[in-house]
Amino acid sequence: MNAAQVHLLTVHIPVIGCWGLSILFILAQYLRDDRLFKISSWLFLTLLLAATIAYFSGPPAYDLLKDSYSVSKETVEFHAILARSGLLAMVVLSMVVGNALVQGFQGEKVPGWQRWGILISMLLLSIFWGAVAHWGGLIRHPEIQYSVSKSMEEPEHQQATE
């Protein structure tokens, strides 16, 4: 398995997983279920692992693609900056989530403000990963790039008659 395959295999996990975990954190908050909150917290830490693998497999994947395909370097660099920011945001959030897990291990109740902070951060992170995924898709999926269709432009013969 090469780096591009590893990248494509792991990159979808944090993008989709953050949305799924957002739903689980919402349910944990709504139902006031400590066990569901702990399960969601552990799952978040596994998402961080997948996001780390995806991030570090990105540059070797680019090296494999840049000679075979016409890949815009600016798009790749912007995608990399966004991915790094998303990974760092996940690392920061993992510290808060890890702190909540340690509080649970010590028999302390995780405060409501901390749970809400985790929930809101997960929702924001999910939206951000969507943007990262979009820019990643532009690298190998040019059909999702914005372009003006021919039907929107004025025909050349109309311009000549005016």
Side-chain angles (χ1 to χ4, degrees):
M1 186 175 279
N2 64 28
Q5 292 167 330
V6 170
H7 187 69
L8 288 175
L9 179 70
T10 57
V11 76
H12 296 91
I13 297 170
V15 175
I16 296 168
C18 279
W19 283 108
L21 281 180
S22 293
I23 292 168
L24 289 179
F25 276 117
I26 289 170
L27 286 173
Q29 186 71 7
Y30 179 73
L31 300 172
R32 301 182 197 282
D33 189 347
D34 289 336
R35 188 171 56 164
L36 183 57
F37 178 80
K38 287 179 186 177
I39 291 169
S40 301
S41 296
W42 281 109
L43 287 173
F44 176 74
L45 295 179
T46 60
L47 278 186
L48 176 61
L49 178 63
T52 303
I53 294 169
Y55 176 76
F56 284 108
S57 65
Y62 172 68
D63 290 339
L64 287 172
L65 293 177
K66 70 180 175 183
D67 296 331
S68 303
Y69 301 97
S70 62
V71 178
S72 168
K73 187 173 182 173
E74 292 80 21
T75 303
V76 172
E77 288 176 352
F78 189 66
H79 171 63
I81 290 169
L82 289 177
R84 182 180 315 123
S85 300
L87 182 63
L88 291 175
M90 281 188 85
V91 168
V92 171
L93 183 55
S94 72
M95 288 187 235
V96 177
V97 168
N99 181 54
L101 286 171
V102 169
Q103 285 174 305
F105 290 147
Q106 294 176 342
E108 300 174 23
K109 183 149 178 67
V110 179
W113 64 266
Q114 189 174 359
R115 288 175 182 252
W116 278 107
I118 291 170
L119 173 59
I120 292 167
S121 298
M122 277 300 300
L123 290 169
L124 293 174
L125 192 59
S126 299
I127 294 167
F128 189 79
W129 275 122
V132 174
H134 172 73
W135 281 93
L138 292 177
I139 295 170
R140 284 297 313 268
H141 296 285
E143 69 273 10
I144 64 174
Q145 292 180 357
Y146 175 78
S147 65
V148 178
S149 67
K150 287 287 186 186
S151 63
M152 298 289 289
E153 298 173 356
E154 288 187 26
E156 290 180 25
H157 69 278
Q158 279 185 345
Q159 293 175 350
T161 59
E162 293 178 358

